[in-house]
Amino acid sequence: QVNLVESGGGLVQAGGSLRLSCAASGSIVNINSMGWYRQAPGKPRDLVAIISRGGTTNYGDSAKGRFTISRDNVKNSVYLQMNSLKPEDTAVYYCKAEVRVILEPFYRDYWGQGTQVTVSS
């Protein structure tokens, strides 16, 4: 019922920047929070940043001061601007959205398929 499509990942040198995008589509009534998570090989999936519908943001420790999350409620999209990238930022980045769809009176979480970010030293 809901599809999240991420884009913008790739290979970048340390110190560089990338901008990730995620667009939600489907039978959407409303979206509460939207966020980015990441998972490196052999590690758990961790919060990178999350943003409420009203624009309140929260960042994981690794993202503070370097990454900026934003969203466009009209486009049902969320973005992650990543600056000063480090090799330890290498991971698959996943978009998550808390969505209410048509005919369901509650919200549930939907995940994107992930986009690879690789930072070379």
Side-chain angles (χ1 to χ4, degrees):
Q1 289 177 306
V2 174
N3 194 32
L4 298 181
V5 178
E6 299 118 331
S7 61
L11 174 65
V12 64
Q13 288 188 334
S17 299
L18 283 175
R19 186 175 187 254
L20 305 183
S21 300
C22 173
S25 62
S27 304
I28 297 170
V29 173
N30 194 38
I31 302 177
N32 275 344
S33 66
M34 302 186 80
W36 291 95
Y37 293 73
R38 70 185 187 187
Q39 188 167 21
K43 295 187 177 181
R45 190 172 297 187
D46 290 330
L47 170 71
V48 177
I50 192 167
I51 184 168
S52 72
R53 184 170 183 83
T56 301
T57 58
N58 188 33
Y59 293 90
D61 289 341
S62 62
K64 291 177 181 177
R66 299 186 299 127
F67 297 178
T68 302
I69 190 170
S70 61
R71 66 186 284 174
D72 184 330
N73 291 331
V74 174
K75 296 181 178 180
N76 288 333
S77 295
V78 63
Y79 310 95
L80 185 69
Q81 178 66 43
M82 302 187 294
N83 299 328
S84 302
L85 283 162
K86 306 173 183 179
E88 50 263 45
D89 293 318
T90 296
V92 178
Y93 284 69
Y94 296 91
C95 170
K96 190 183 84 169
E98 185 183 10
V99 182
R100 181 184 168 198
V101 301
I102 295 172
L103 300 181
E104 288 187 354
F106 53 85
Y107 289 82
R108 71 169 78 202
D109 290 337
Y110 291 86
W111 291 87
Q113 80 287 352
T115 185
Q116 177 70 45
V117 171
T118 303
V119 184
S120 63
S121 56

